[in-house]
Amino acid sequence: MNSIDFAQYNNIVIKVGSALVAPDGHSCSTQFCLPLANFIKKCQQSAKKVTLVSSGAVAAGFNTLKPDHEHLSLDEKQALAAIGQSKVINHWQRFFDESVAQVLLTAADIQSSHRSANAKRTLITLQQYGVLPIINENDTVAVDELKFGDNDRLAAQVATLIEADLLLICSDVDGLFNDNPHTNSNAQLIPFIDEMTDDIMQLGQASHNPQATGGMLTKLLAAQIAHDSGTDTIICNGKTEAYSRLFQQQNPGTLIRSHKRLQTNSSPSIRITNP
Ligand code: GLU
């Protein structure tokens, strides 16, 4: 049985990748974002708190300026991110009647106890206002995730910060497979993981999709951060709107369950399967 008790999640961080926000040369596209915005509204109508972590600034800036070369220097990526970020936030705002809020953070902000406490208070106050926080890395001052493509990790750190119960990573892959689905057509999707073992991390490397910004490994590393702090993670395909299955209590991809939640949530409604 591949079911999920979605009703148990009340505080959700949703991470959306560049491939969904600025696909196929568009600076920003409604194709994948509009259905996701409708899903977010449905979550909010079900009294779930939602925080969105949206990539796409560099891609939107690139697709706006259309530089004549693809291998960008770090400075160029930062400048393109500055151009694209306003497009990304305006793009998301169009889907919501209520205001959305732009929050730009760095890993250093989260590591500093003082700054992370400020960020946490801001995010919680935005939730109390019923305003959707839309977070991205502050690419002007932070370069690590531009080097590693790692907004997944930022999303996991945010989930930890605001004590989210679910991190939903919307990617362009269906989840984690037991082999590379690009080279092995018999590769099977792993629906449930409850231990972030070395073997699982190895699978992340094996199933790396060269077209994905961060690849599966960064998603698993993010899931590991969430797992250790009591947040479940779901990796699913945002292009196929797999997340919408959650309202039918169906698992849309790979669910990585946190031990801490397993210990505190005694509901046996989810079957855990070791791959
Ligand atoms: N901050 C980058 C952007 O918005 C995201 C990099 C990533 O996807 O990890 O383009």
Side-chain angles (χ1 to χ4, degrees), residues 15 18 54-59 85 136-137 139 145-146 149-152 213:
K15 190 266 170 175
S18 303
S54 177
S55 297
V58 174
Q85 179 59 29
N136 197 355
E137 183 120 1
D139 292 320
E145 53 85 49
L146 286 182
D150 203 1
N151 251 9
D152 298 320
T213 320

Side-chain angles (χ1 to χ4, degrees), residues 15-18 53-56 58 77 105-107 110-111 135-139 142-158 167 169 212-225:
K15 190 266 170 175
V16 56
S18 303
V53 176
S54 177
S55 297
V58 174
K77 282 188 187 171
L105 290 174
T106 66
I110 304 227
Q111 276 146 25
I135 301 176
N136 197 355
E137 183 120 1
N138 189 350
D139 292 320
V143 293
D144 279 359
E145 53 85 49
L146 286 182
K147 285 188 206 155
F148 304 120
D150 203 1
N151 251 9
D152 298 320
R153 186 169 57 120
L154 178 68
Q157 289 171 324
V158 167
L167 168 62
I169 299 181
T213 320
M216 185 51 71
L217 188 58
T218 68
K219 289 164 186 48
L220 291 180
L221 290 169
Q224 173 96 67
I225 295 171

Side-chain angles (χ1 to χ4, degrees), residues 121-262:
R121 276 199 303 274
T122 303
L123 292 171
I124 287 173
T125 307
L126 287 168
Q127 286 180 337
Q128 287 164 352
Y129 286 157
V131 168
L132 177 70
I134 302 181
I135 301 176
N136 197 355
E137 183 120 1
N138 189 350
D139 292 320
T140 307
V141 295
V143 293
D144 279 359
E145 53 85 49
L146 286 182
K147 285 188 206 155
F148 304 120
D150 203 1
N151 251 9
D152 298 320
R153 186 169 57 120
L154 178 68
Q157 289 171 324
V158 167
T160 301
L161 185 70
I162 61 169
E163 294 162 45
D165 40 30
L166 178 65
L167 168 62
L168 177 61
I169 299 181
C170 296
S171 176
D172 55 357
V173 290
D174 292 336
L176 182 67
F177 286 78
N178 62 0
D179 197 0
N180 188 339
H182 301 105
T183 54
N184 177 358
S185 57
N186 294 320
Q188 304 264 315
L189 184 74
I190 301 172
F192 296 106
I193 295 171
D194 59 358
E195 282 287 350
M196 298 301 286
T197 60
D198 290 348
D199 288 348
I200 292 289
M201 299 315 269
Q202 277 298 118
L203 286 177
Q205 253 152 354
S207 61
H208 178 76
N209 172 3
Q211 273 148 26
T213 320
M216 185 51 71
L217 188 58
T218 68
K219 289 164 186 48
L220 291 180
L221 290 169
Q224 173 96 67
I225 295 171
H227 181 267
D228 292 348
S229 66
T231 304
D232 290 355
T233 299
I234 292 173
I235 301 168
C236 73
N237 195 332
K239 286 194 167 177
T240 61
E241 298 167 41
Y243 48 78
S244 59
R245 286 187 230 140
L246 283 165
F247 277 106
Q248 280 93 54
Q249 317 298 330
Q250 288 170 16
N251 184 353
T254 299
L255 167 66
I256 298 135
R257 283 206 79 194
S258 167
H259 279 299
K260 289 190 186 160
R261 280 185 60 74
L262 285 170

Side-chain angles (χ1 to χ4, degrees), residues 23-24 26 29-30 51 78 95 97 116 145 163-164 192 197 208 210 242 252 254 274:
D24 307 324
H26 295 287
S29 165
T30 57
T51 301
Q78 288 178 277
F95 303 125
D97 291 337
S116 68
E145 53 85 49
E163 294 162 45
F192 296 106
T197 60
H208 178 76
T254 299
N274 269 324

Side-chain angles (χ1 to χ4, degrees), residues 21-23 25-30 33 56 60 63-64 84 87-89 91 94:
V21 176
H26 295 287
S27 88
C28 286
S29 165
T30 57
C33 292
N63 294 338
T64 302
K87 293 190 175 283
V88 169
I89 206 79
H91 180 60
R94 287 194 297 150

